[in-house]
Amino acid sequence: MIMQSTSWVPLFPDQASTFAWQVDYLYFYLILVSVAFSIPIVVAIFFFFVKYREKEKFATPDEIHGSIMLETVWSIIPFVVSMTIFIGGAYIFYNQTRVPADSMEIYVVGKQWMWKFQHGTGQREINELHVPVGRKVKLTMTTEDVLHDVYIPAFRTKADVVPGRYTTLWFEATKPGKYHLYCAEYCGLNHSGMGGWVYVMEQSEFDNWLAGGGSNQTPVEAGRELFTNKLGCASCHAGGASQRGAKLEGLFGTDVKLTTGQTVKADEEYIRNSILNPSGQVVEGYQPIMPTFKGQVTEEQLMALVAYVKSLNPNAAATSPAMTTTPAVPTTSNSNSSSTSANTKTASNPNAPSNKTEPTKSSNK
Ligand code: CUA
């Protein structure tokens, strides 16, 4: 496919995301400012070098008493210039770090030396990522070993992937094509080989691709299985009024009061920490009796558990993707536990822009 040929400046990768042009404009502005300052300085050096060369030995120069005008001008101009750089940079940074609520979610696990992706519908990929064009995509990322960094030059975005925590990155691809994906953090012997491709496809093509992905468990389904069977979380966290563990239904995205008096937001990171280090954040009204699951769950299983707990808040599901014109994010259509949803999911494509997800959703209620 086309690479680096349609860019408006040669040597630059394609501009293939909504903020690519912003980053490029800022970058060119920086170059322009550097040139605008460097050229007059170099010219002045040569000019003064000739003009004030030594004409007589031991000459005494005239005294200089300064100029308010000149000093004001050389303070104000650089101030204005540096503020425009700051404002432009802050605007782009703000855009890139605030993930829109209606993003389609993809889980990413880095490891020496590959990228593992999983879609909300369950499809897994290694070193390849398929995404639809014109759709906001959120990557929730972590790593099994050392620091890595997801870098997609054509999208002008990158983010560190850090052991022991989640980082996020989002983009909206604007142009179908095949774009390089790199690891941009030195991570060992095969760091330079740790990369792959992002395939940006038209929505219909993407739907076909998803449909051909086989019948993988979605992260929510995998999480539910871990929760109820493999790890036995349900013995404390389900069962109504008598349950010993904190209530998880409707939890995600809310503020949680801890025994320490602190209030924390129940986000992905909080849920992850609660599984690995439960005594660190005991919810008010509960005993610190939960054992740690550190070492017992892999990063991928943790992400599945997070996705499952997330799906237990129907409000979060209602306020985000379902209300937008784009198709619902698959994980949210799985909000309610039902073993039948697995079958419905694999039969029809849950990501299709039709109302196909709706019957699934209502039948679960
Ligand atoms: Cu992973 Cu460099």
Side-chain angles (χ1 to χ4, degrees), residues 261-297:
Q262 263 182 308
T263 303
V264 293
K265 195 171 172 66
D267 57 5
E268 285 98 343
E269 194 76 37
Y270 168 79
I271 296 183
R272 182 200 152 87
N273 286 339
S274 297
I275 297 166
L276 297 179
N277 182 21
S279 55
Q281 337 172 273
V282 180
V283 179
E284 202 180 52
Y286 290 91
Q287 296 298 312
I289 51 171
M290 178 170 160
T292 173
F293 285 84
K294 202 175 237 161
Q296 298 180 46
V297 281

Side-chain angles (χ1 to χ4, degrees), residues 111-113 115 146-149 183-188 190-192 194:
K111 105 177 243 211
Q112 284 167 323
W113 288 276
W115 292 110
V146 300
L147 261 179
H148 302 279
D149 187 302
C183 175
E185 184 71 58
Y186 181 69
C187 57
N190 288 332
H191 157 72
S192 59
M194 183 174 169

